[in-house]
Structures are given as structure tokens and as C-alpha cells.
Amino acid sequence: DLSLPLGIGFDDDGVANKIGDGMQGAKLGITKGSQARIIGGRELTKGTKQLVRRIQKAKYKGFKDILMGFAVAPAIVEFEDRPFGITIGVDSVAGLCLIRAANDAASNKGVKIGSALVAINNEELVDMTEADIAQRLRDIALPVRMTFQEVGNVEVSGDASGADRMLSSSEDEAPMLP
């Protein structure tokens, strides 16, 4: 709604560095660190100055609203002990290690169901199988930093891909990983 303030402060590159409580940006779920990438169906290539010009132009033309696209900032979460409280599943088609479930402790740290685990201690999980990822998480020294990125429209099915694995230190339940 172009008649209301967006309520987002941007750095020169179009990255949100301040979100006003109760403002449009907050209501739309924009978070600090998210980057404006598209406005009015066109890619932003010149940062905040271009963003401001396009909004001003849309207002001048009498548009009541405009579509904006943001790249959501990753969540970097540090775990100091096990269990991590997340269930993973690798989607081999999308090539992503997705979070299928997160207990309250993991959720409170910022882990969201449906997000992708993209890095462990800043090492990207490229071309790794679910078994490789699970082994790395079992063997890694604590504390460990995991990077999660929200993704859209990707689901992990409960098929033979072994998608239901809880990363835990429990050894008494078959689908659990230590």
C-alpha cells in the first residue's frame, strides 16, 4: 500500500537494517538482513537509490500499491549441546537439506520448519547426502553454528529418502541420530 509508510530502513545495497514495529514491513514478515531484489516486476540492480526512485515513480503515476520481492536473510543459529532438536530430510531433486520438524528449543533459536540447512560452521552443504550431513552433525565439535535459509514451495516427502531423522543424542529410538 503506497499510501502508508513501508517502515523499513535500508542500507545502500537495499538490505533492511531497521524494521518499524507495527509498520507494513513488519506486518509482511520482512526481517532485518532481508534484501530488496525486485520491485514492480523488475530486478533491483542499484540498491536503495533505485528502490526509492521506483517507489516515487509508482506514486507519481498514481499506483495504489506495488509488488516487492525480498531475499530473506539466513538464520545463523549456534547450538552449544546436543540434541539439536531438529528433524532433517534431504530433497534430492532440489538438492536441499530441509527441516521437517523443530522442537521448542530449536524454534526459539530461529529454526523454522521448511527452511533449509545450508551450512555447518560456515561450510556449505553442497552435494552431500543425508547420511553425510547426519555424520557431520554427529562428529562435529560443539558449539556448532548452523545456517538456515527459508525456501519457498519445496517439500520433503516421507518416502524412502530417509527424510524423518531427528538429530539427537538418544540411541533408544530407531529413527533417531546421535
Side-chain angles (χ1 to χ4, degrees):
D1 184 348
L2 291 174
S3 68
L4 300 172
L6 190 54
I8 301 176
F10 294 96
D11 69 9
D12 290 343
D13 296 319
V15 176
N17 55 21
K18 185 177 181 185
I19 311 293
D21 290 337
M23 303 296 280
Q24 277 194 93
K27 290 177 183 176
L28 293 170
I30 307 302
T31 58
K32 285 184 184 179
S34 297
Q35 184 177 30
R37 301 298 298 268
I38 297 172
I39 186 163
R42 294 177 33 214
E43 184 178 9
L44 289 169
T45 58
K46 298 177 181 155
T48 301
K49 288 181 181 181
Q50 185 181 36
L51 172 68
V52 170
R53 279 195 312 271
R54 287 195 185 165
I55 290 173
Q56 289 172 339
K57 189 174 181 179
K59 287 180 177 181
Y60 178 78
K61 289 183 172 185
F63 294 154
K64 295 187 187 295
D65 47 13
I66 193 165
L67 181 66
M68 296 179 70
F70 286 81
V72 180
I76 300 171
V77 178
E78 185 168 301
F79 292 91
E80 296 180 9
D81 46 44
R82 292 179 174 86
F84 301 125
I86 57 176
T87 303
I88 65 168
V90 172
D91 182 320
S92 58
V93 175
L96 297 172
C97 177
L98 299 174
I99 304 305
R100 291 184 44 97
N103 68 14
D104 288 342
S107 294
N108 291 339
K109 288 178 179 264
V111 178
K112 294 182 180 179
I113 295 171
S115 64
L117 173 60
V118 297
I120 300 170
N121 286 343
N122 298 322
E123 185 179 335
E124 291 184 9
L125 305 180
V126 179
D127 297 325
M128 292 182 69
T129 66
E130 183 175 320
D132 293 336
I133 295 166
Q135 187 66 46
R136 174 152 309 147
L137 290 170
R138 276 192 294 269
D139 296 343
I140 197 127
L142 297 175
V144 61
R145 290 179 64 151
M146 296 185 209
T147 304
F148 300 91
Q149 181 67 55
E150 288 189 49
V151 294
N153 299 324
V154 177
E155 285 187 31
V156 177
S157 64
D159 62 10
S161 67
D164 293 319
R165 303 241 188 254
M166 178 64 92
L167 300 177
S168 167
S169 59
S170 172
E171 295 182 22
D172 58 338
E173 297 179 36
M176 305 292 244
L177 298 175

